[in-house]
Amino acid sequence: MKPRFTLKKTALILSAVALVPMLLLAKAKGSDHADTPEIAASPGADLTDVYVFPSPTNPSNVVLAMNVHPLIMRGAGSSVSFDPNVLYQFKIDNTGDNVEDLVVQASFQGTGSSQKVYIAGPVKPSMTGAKSTLLSPFTTTGTINATFSPAAGMKVFAGAREDSFFFDLDQFFTILPDRAYPLTGVSVPDPNTPKAGSWRAPGVAKDFLSSNGYNVLSVVVELPKSQLIGSGDGKIHVWCTTSK
């Protein structure tokens, strides 16, 4: 599926972002694609990345993007839907204490091409940390793979997109064999013996995910920056969670 996100850059994936006077990426950790047998068996709950960037059309807006369900085969994006038993959340800390002050929740009903999309927030959660509760969503709902506006000033897309994470997986395995190849679950030879090798030069590196046409499911929310900034210094910390 095309396109990738306009600007490129579980598992717990965290980024710290300054929203005033401009949006700057300060920290980002990791990417997870079927990293363990348990998460590979539950792809709907498998977080890969979170992205935060300025809206390309409105300087007053910010875009939050969460990718889940990795390694969707080329051409299969339109036939894959979100797990209706999973709650997908953006968590936002705007006071610097690493505790979420706001959440944006996405939940889904049904499966297939008519799957309904529900959005709640940004709103203060009723509990923080590892436990979450489903909050009341906006009355305006959407459908998978279609953009909609659940509230004034907000745009949402939830559906298939090309995986925007660049990773030279084959070269990675020549340096440090992983526990198992994510597509087959079969261990790479000599998993306990690091191999000689180094990263390929940028112009030579091969994007394993793009070259094989792998897709993800994305939840993309565009909204005014003012809805995320608290009384602190204008910085926000954003991370994503999936909960069953």
Side-chain angles (χ1 to χ4, degrees):
M1 299 288 290
K2 299 280 186 176
R4 293 185 175 201
F5 296 121
T6 302
L7 298 181
K8 298 179 182 179
K9 306 197 209 187
T10 146
L12 178 69
I13 304 167
L14 173 68
S15 62
V17 180
L19 291 182
V20 178
M22 62 184 297
L23 191 81
L24 296 173
L25 183 67
K27 179 193 279 188
K29 289 185 178 181
S31 178
D32 176 38
H33 290 68
D35 198 46
T36 67
E38 291 80 11
I39 198 64
S42 182
D46 189 358
L47 283 164
T48 65
D49 293 285
V50 57
Y51 301 87
V52 183
F53 51 89
S55 166
T57 59
N58 186 340
S60 297
N61 285 3
V62 63
V63 179
L64 310 177
M66 174 198 319
N67 285 350
V68 300
H69 199 129
L71 305 173
I72 300 170
M73 301 298 289
R74 187 192 306 271
S78 60
S79 64
V80 179
S81 51
F82 291 86
D83 189 335
N85 298 310
V86 172
L87 172 63
Y88 302 86
Q89 293 187 97
F90 296 96
K91 295 191 173 185
I92 299 100
D93 163 33
N94 55 31
T95 58
D97 61 358
N98 298 318
V99 177
E100 61 268 34
D101 299 293
L102 300 169
V103 296
V104 177
Q105 295 185 344
S107 56
F108 299 86
Q109 183 182 75
T111 58
S113 60
S114 60
Q115 184 175 56
K116 284 189 175 182
V117 185
Y118 297 85
I119 297 294
V123 65
K124 182 178 177 62
S126 56
M127 59 178 63
T128 60
K131 294 184 178 181
S132 298
T133 55
L134 183 63
L135 303 173
S136 297
F138 294 110
T139 55
T140 300
T141 63
T143 304
I144 189 172
N145 292 317
T147 302
F148 72 105
S149 179
M154 177 186 288
K155 291 191 296 185
V156 173
F157 172 86
R161 281 292 183 265
E162 182 185 352
D163 195 330
S164 44
F165 182 72
F166 187 107
F167 188 39
D168 192 340
L169 180 64
D170 294 329
Q171 188 67 7
F172 171 80
F173 282 150
T174 71
I175 302 169
L176 185 65
D178 201 359
R179 294 183 297 276
Y181 198 73
L183 297 178
T184 64
V186 178
S187 294
V188 174
D190 303 318
N192 297 315
T193 306
K195 299 180 180 180
S198 61
W199 294 113
R200 290 190 271 239
V204 183
K206 299 178 180 178
D207 187 350
F208 171 84
L209 297 166
S210 179
S211 61
N212 287 281
Y214 290 119
N215 302 307
V216 290
L217 292 181
S218 301
V219 177
V220 186
V221 180
E222 179 177 332
L223 72 170
K225 290 186 285 188
S226 59
Q227 293 187 15
L228 302 181
I229 298 173
S231 58
D233 57 5
K235 293 181 180 179
I236 64 169
H237 297 258
V238 180
W239 64 100
C240 293
T241 64
T242 56
S243 309
K244 287 197 171 183

